Amino acid sequence: AAAMGGALMAILDITIVNVALSDIRASFGTPLDQIAWVSTGYMMANIVAIPMSGWFQRRFGFRNYFTASLLLFTAGSALCGVAWDLPSFVAFRVVQGLGGGAIIPTAQAILFLRFPQEKQGIVAGLMATSGAFGPLMGPYIGGVIIDGASWHWIFLVNVPFGILAAILIWENLGEPNFRAPDIRI
């Protein structure tokens, strides 16, 4: 549940911010041609983190890497919620995107490794469902948050969920035989 929740949180953040872009633009007094960096920075960081995840998983272990990724995503979310201008906001979105990009493949790897071969179709279905559910529900959830509060809460709402997921993963994802490989340069 914590792995799926973390993955859903990262996937949801890809689209949830889109409904808040005009409010964010107005808040920072940003020209229209520069506000796209809010989404672009997040996606570029995701794209950088995803292919490196396999190496980091083997080097640090699933539990350590996934927990660190969740905490990085959560810290980036909190910083986005308190950003003071567009450059700081884009930088914090990059931090958030690095964590989010690491969460998605690591959650998938954790789920596939924890379930037996005959249950892996269910795991694939769950991952596909969260992969579709996040972008589908992101604009709706973002709109509800914007209507009830300010754009800052789109990011601040991730903080308790991210911390909870990190605690659950740390407490419940055992790797008793994990030993970091010797890496010589």
Side-chain angles (χ1 to χ4, degrees):
M4 285 296 300
L8 180 60
M9 189 172 58
I11 293 168
L12 191 69
D13 241 65
I14 293 169
T15 59
I16 196 171
V17 72
N18 292 343
V19 297
L21 286 177
S22 62
D23 290 8
I24 294 167
R25 185 174 156 263
S27 176
F28 294 143
T30 302
L32 186 59
D33 64 329
Q34 293 178 12
I35 199 65
W37 282 106
V38 171
S39 296
T40 303
Y42 184 86
M43 290 305 298
M44 288 174 62
N46 264 233
I47 291 167
V48 167
I50 288 171
M52 297 185 325
S53 291
W55 185 85
F56 282 114
Q57 291 164 4
R58 287 186 301 279
R59 176 73 179 112
F60 299 108
F62 289 105
R63 182 175 98 163
N64 295 335
Y65 184 59
F66 195 61
T67 302
S69 300
L70 284 164
L71 293 175
L72 183 64
F73 177 85
T74 303
S77 295
L79 290 168
C80 284
V82 298
W84 51 90
D85 60 10
L86 184 66
S88 67
F89 187 69
V90 171
F92 299 149
R93 279 289 281 173
V94 169
V95 169
Q96 186 188 35
L98 287 171
I103 288 170
I104 297 165
T106 306
Q108 185 172 6
I110 288 168
L111 291 171
F112 276 112
L113 290 172
R114 297 294 186 238
F115 284 89
Q117 184 76 26
E118 62 273 3
K119 303 265 186 185
Q120 291 196 358
I122 294 169
V123 172
L126 289 172
M127 286 303 296
T129 300
S130 69
F133 183 75
L136 180 67
M137 293 304 295
Y140 173 74
I141 293 169
V144 169
I145 292 172
I146 293 291
D147 282 346
S150 71
W151 65 264
H152 305 324
W153 285 100
I154 284 178
F155 303 99
L156 296 175
V157 75
N158 289 333
V159 174
F161 293 110
I163 291 171
L164 178 63
I167 290 169
L168 289 172
I169 287 293
W170 187 259
E171 293 293 322
N172 296 301
L173 183 64
E175 288 185 289
N177 298 325
F178 173 74
R179 185 172 166 268
D182 292 331
I183 298 177
R184 293 187 177 95
I185 297 177

